[in-house]
Amino acid sequence: MSERKERALRNDQDTRAQALAKLLLRPARGSLLQAILLPVLAVFTALIIGALVIVFTDLQVLNLYKDFFSAPGKALAASWKSIASAYSALFKGSIGNPAEFANAISVLRETGDTAPLRQAFWPISESLVTSVPYIFAGLAVALGFQCGLFNIGAEGQIFIGALASVYVGYSVKGLPQYIHLPLAFFAGAAAAGLWAAVAGVLKAKTGAHEVINTIMMNYIAFLLSDWLLNGPMRRPGWAPISPAIRDSAWLPKFFPDPLRFHAGFFVALGIAAVVYWLLFKTTIGFEIRSVGANPDAARYAGISVTRNFVLAMFLSGALAGMAGANEVLGVNHQLASAFSSGYGFDSIALALLGKSHPAGVVLAALLFGTLRSGATRMQSLAGVPVDIISILQALVIIFIAAPAIIRWIYRIRLEREVGETVFTRGWGQ
Amino acid sequence: MAVAARNAELTIARRRHAGMGIFFLAVALVIVGIFARTTPAGLDTTFGLNPARLTTAMRLPDLVLPSLPSLWFLAAVCAFLGGWQVAKGFRSTGWALGVVAFAFVAAFLIWAARGKSMNLVGMLSSSLLRAIPIALGAFCGILCERAAVINIAIEGMMLTAAFMAAWVGSITHNLWIALMAAMLSSAFLAAILAVLSIKFKVDQIVSGTVINIFATGLTSYLSAKFLQVYQNLNNPGIFKPISLPLLSRIPIIGPVFFEHNIIVYITFLLLILIHVMLFYTRWGLRTRAVGEHPKAADTLGVNVFRTRYINVIMGGLVAGIGGAFFTIGSVGRFDEVMTAGKGFIGLAAMIFGKWTPFGAFGSSIIFGFADSLQTKLQILQVPIPSEFLLMAPYLVTMVVLAGVIGRAIPPAADGQPYEKQ
């Protein structure tokens, strides 16, 4: 190649790199209001449709609708009552009952007994406890999105992370907490990271799509965990459950029972900050985002797409593994089969809702954690099955992923975003 | 430049060829090193060739094979094919791969049932039944992806269809109406997928995921709210098996293929129909054109959007039949998340079968076989945890997708929204 050609090529690469840098470094256009409006409207609309589902599956209310034309007020009042009881149960189950708080405070003043107060704080503690795995798993999916990878395997990675950290948690003896706890936590992260990196390597080396591979690896992870919990890791007894982890691997708790709020929450916030720093303040993050924005341009700019696929998948898996580790070390202190029940899948919705940004993910995770822990209460108090949450989540993703629908419903002009995140590409590329 | 690129390509092709040969040799090694080594000499393996309920006119004698010599023979076959592949290379490797896969499965069965007897016909028959929903899911995937719409919502569509079949069947006491309801509900979800990914140009994997989450949530919600409370809403009955005249009397093949319920026969029909339509009709040509090069198709006057809508909705109808099979085709009741990933395995079968109906059907049978094998192995007390056997289909899919043995190449425009200019 002649020198001139080479220089021309280098210039070309430079301009491409500059264009890419501009694209990535430019602050997002549009106001903050705009950025918040869409998710808020999406959640709001989902709640309204959820209310409709609740009403139209309530047989008592439906019976009243038979006489709608003779007594419309009755039917509407019953509908309202049905929705109100469901959503107020959701609120009481996730945030708490104001009356209970007031009562607890007066009891505290009069007798100094903290038990009622703890009871009043229980719902909000549960919401926060549920949010923690969501934060980790949401960050996992979001980090993948930033690199243009759709990590649908967070669920399996959570299992792998939990398996590794429960193993370290019960088998390693005689370590002080400040060594044992981080060891167990990061063992989970590392194991899940390596597990996920397989999909990254396969994508980078052979072009095999990470969606199919992570789905397949989910099932492999579930089966592996079934086998381990029924075989090598089984605690003597009748249920497939692992031995309990040692006290030295427990994430510290701050309050007496029944409050389960533990240090994992702050770890999660810390990790979210680290992910933010990594993605937006370091070269590594810049490369990851470049590959996500446009792999061809990134390659021209001299960034190794292959390496970033593997790295992003490793980091994504590690974050999902932390969700598993957190559940084991902070909440359950042992591992039973099928313990995760969908955190990994929900986290896809979460990452989309949070716009793949760590801050957005944390907020979305708090919302999802609140909804999920409240939904359990809603089931027992208002007879609304907990699965309503999945319906709400699906609706939220639709509205976020197709903003045109929200635009159409509310007749508002939402600006098209610049450099919209590309989530995935076809199987073959 | 061009020469270097071609050389590189050739090297890759050669390496892949050698890779497959080494894979064959490895299979031979496994047969010798694991199966033959743990089989004492002098044992026989007995395969029953009659169905459990005897309907064929004549009773076949059991097939009795000497375990150890059979294993050595199968290993020799694999080793020979592998050696030939490494040294010279077959022009087309499909059949060799088929032979090696068959040899491996046969060796495995001979080893698993050494000194015992196993009903081969019963097992093949149950493999087929387990393959049916996988195959129908794969057909749905083919219809969509040949027109370049990735459909990972097959799981959700089948789940919804399974639910609707159970519900409507229980209310109307008519299985045909139940089947129709299942198909329509699944097609409705497919239409949503189509609108989201064709009109709104939502990332197709995101919209598929949405539908999966939505379907799981809605069916579990309605099931908890109604089906579990009112048991008579979850009692649709099932399609009874029909023995096809003459065909079902053929030994072995008859009881394996032709003594099933109507949905199985519908699957056979669809297999042939989709194959013929895809490769020998105008619609098929247009579909493939839209999947490979939509812009060219558009220039030639094919309506890309309409083709995609039609294909995705047809895929939904087919997946609906597969969903109905779970309830009114086998167990006769709906349970939460009862599809248990069969839709995703269907997707894997589609990839494994290289986006062709026959390939997908064959892969589905393999997956169904692995599925039914694990129940048999527990009976035979084989010292392999059933979990590992269940992992096999997923591992195989990953291996195939990675192109280690054979390469799976999707339609060129798969997953890309089309923008009319």
Side-chain angles (χ1 to χ4, degrees), chain A residues 242-261:
Chain A
S242 78
I245 61 168
R246 290 170 198 283
D247 294 355
S248 53
W250 282 37
L251 276 164
K253 259 176 48 154
F254 302 109
F255 306 104
D257 283 341
L259 300 178
R260 298 198 295 173
F261 183 74

Side-chain angles (χ1 to χ4, degrees), chain A residues 53-54 57-59 150 152 198 202 206 208-209 211-213 215-217 219-220 223-224 226-227 230 345 348 352 383-385 387-388 390-391 393-395 397-398 401-402 404-405 423-429, chain B residues 145 150 152 155 196 200 202-203 205-206 209-210 213-214 216-218 220-222 224-226 230 336 340-341 344-345 347-348 350-351 355 385 387-388 390-391 394-395 397-398 401-402 407 410 412 414-416:
Chain A
V53 172
I54 291 171
T57 52
D58 189 330
L59 287 183
F150 196 147
I152 216 168
V198 172
L202 285 174
T206 71
H209 201 283
V211 165
I212 279 285
N213 275 332
I215 290 174
M216 296 298 130
M217 291 179 76
Y219 290 107
I220 297 174
L223 289 164
L224 190 69
D226 272 355
W227 175 67
N230 277 303
F345 294 118
I348 300 163
L352 288 168
V384 177
D387 309 283
I388 187 82
S390 300
I391 299 176
Q393 279 167 9
L395 291 168
I397 312 180
I398 293 181
I405 299 176
F423 298 117
T424 51
R425 297 177 181 84
W427 299 132
Q429 297 119 41
Chain B
E145 297 209 1
I150 290 180
I152 67 164
E155 176 81 7
L196 284 176
F200 288 106
V202 176
D203 184 292
I205 291 175
V206 172
T209 309
V210 163
I213 297 176
F214 184 74
T216 314
L218 193 65
S220 302
Y221 178 88
L222 292 175
K225 191 98 191 168
F226 298 115
Y230 310 100
E336 283 177 32
F344 291 123
I345 301 187
L347 210 57
M350 171 196 75
I351 294 173
W355 286 266
E387 287 92 357
F388 283 97
L390 282 173
M391 278 180 204
Y394 309 114
L395 282 170
T397 306
M398 290 175 68
L401 200 68
R407 188 88 180 94
D414 213 2
Q416 297 162 5

Side-chain angles (χ1 to χ4, degrees), chain A residues 8-354:
Chain A
L9 191 68
R10 205 174 325 122
N11 278 341
D12 186 37
Q13 286 183 357
D14 285 350
T15 46
R16 277 167 190 270
Q18 280 163 7
L20 189 68
K22 260 188 206 152
L23 179 74
L24 292 174
L25 295 177
R26 182 171 46 198
R29 217 190 282 164
S31 54
L32 188 65
L33 184 75
Q34 185 79 42
I36 294 170
L37 189 61
L38 181 63
V40 168
L41 283 179
V43 171
F44 176 71
T45 318
L47 283 174
I48 289 188
I49 298 180
L52 292 178
V53 172
I54 291 171
V55 168
F56 286 105
T57 52
D58 189 330
L59 287 183
Q60 286 171 341
V61 178
L62 281 188
N63 277 334
L64 289 174
Y65 270 92
K66 280 181 191 154
D67 321 315
F68 183 72
F69 291 105
S70 52
K74 227 176 178 181
L76 291 177
S79 307
W80 174 250
K81 220 178 128 200
S82 171
I83 298 171
S85 79
Y87 280 159
S88 77
L90 184 66
F91 185 83
K92 281 179 200 156
S94 55
I95 309 289
N97 189 345
E100 212 175 307
F101 275 114
N103 183 36
I105 288 171
S106 67
V107 169
L108 184 68
R109 271 204 192 135
E110 280 162 26
T111 63
D113 182 13
T114 55
L117 194 64
R118 266 182 275 146
Q119 203 58 48
F121 268 109
W122 183 72
I124 205 161
S125 152
E126 283 301 294
S127 293
L128 292 177
V129 167
T130 318
S131 302
V132 179
Y134 274 138
I135 297 178
F136 286 119
L139 288 171
V141 179
L143 194 140
F145 277 149
Q146 292 280 2
C147 192
L149 294 167
F150 196 147
N151 179 9
I152 216 168
E155 186 79 3
Q157 291 147 18
I158 289 176
F159 272 82
I160 298 297
L163 284 169
S165 76
V166 84
Y167 180 73
V168 174
Y170 73 72
S171 68
V172 177
K173 294 171 204 165
L175 289 181
Q177 189 177 24
Y178 60 87
I179 297 176
H180 195 188
L181 174 61
L183 188 71
F185 188 79
F186 286 107
L194 292 174
W195 179 262
V198 172
V201 170
L202 285 174
K203 174 156 181 127
K205 294 281 173 203
T206 71
H209 201 283
E210 77 279 4
V211 165
I212 279 285
N213 275 332
T214 47
I215 290 174
M216 296 298 130
M217 291 179 76
N218 270 347
Y219 290 107
I220 297 174
F222 302 155
L223 289 164
L224 190 69
S225 126
D226 272 355
W227 175 67
L228 285 172
L229 292 177
N230 277 303
M233 283 171 69
R234 182 173 185 161
R235 180 197 306 185
W238 50 273
I241 251 179
S242 78
I245 61 168
R246 290 170 198 283
D247 294 355
S248 53
W250 282 37
L251 276 164
K253 259 176 48 154
F254 302 109
F255 306 104
D257 283 341
L259 300 178
R260 298 198 295 173
F261 183 74
H262 59 87
F265 183 71
F266 300 107
V267 177
L269 292 183
I271 294 286
V274 170
V275 170
Y276 172 79
W277 171 78
L278 182 82
L279 277 176
F280 296 101
K281 305 288 171 198
T282 66
T283 326
I284 299 175
F286 178 77
E287 289 197 0
I288 286 179
R289 286 183 301 128
S290 308
V291 172
N294 187 342
D296 293 326
R299 194 177 290 120
Y300 275 116
I303 295 170
S304 163
V305 175
T306 331
R307 207 193 54 194
N308 277 292
F309 276 161
V310 178
L311 179 69
M313 214 56 209
F314 172 81
L315 292 175
S316 177
L319 287 166
M322 288 179 193
N326 170 77
E327 288 301 274
V328 164
L329 307 176
V331 183
N332 299 323
H333 305 124
Q334 61 189 17
L335 185 57
S337 55
F339 84 107
S340 163
S341 59
Y343 285 119
F345 294 118
D346 294 352
S347 59
I348 300 163
L350 228 155
L352 288 168
L353 184 61

Side-chain angles (χ1 to χ4, degrees), chain B residues 134-164:
Chain B
I134 301 176
L136 288 167
F139 292 166
C140 168
I142 290 172
L143 287 170
C144 298
E145 297 209 1
R146 281 288 182 168
V149 177
I150 290 180
N151 184 353
I152 67 164
I154 299 169
E155 176 81 7
M157 292 178 188
M158 295 215 289
L159 190 59
T160 311
F163 174 84
M164 284 301 278

Side-chain angles (χ1 to χ4, degrees), chain B residues 5-17:
Chain B
R6 238 187 70 206
N7 275 345
E9 232 166 67
L10 275 178
T11 327
I12 289 172
R14 229 173 265 142
R15 205 185 302 149
R16 197 162 276 153
H17 272 243

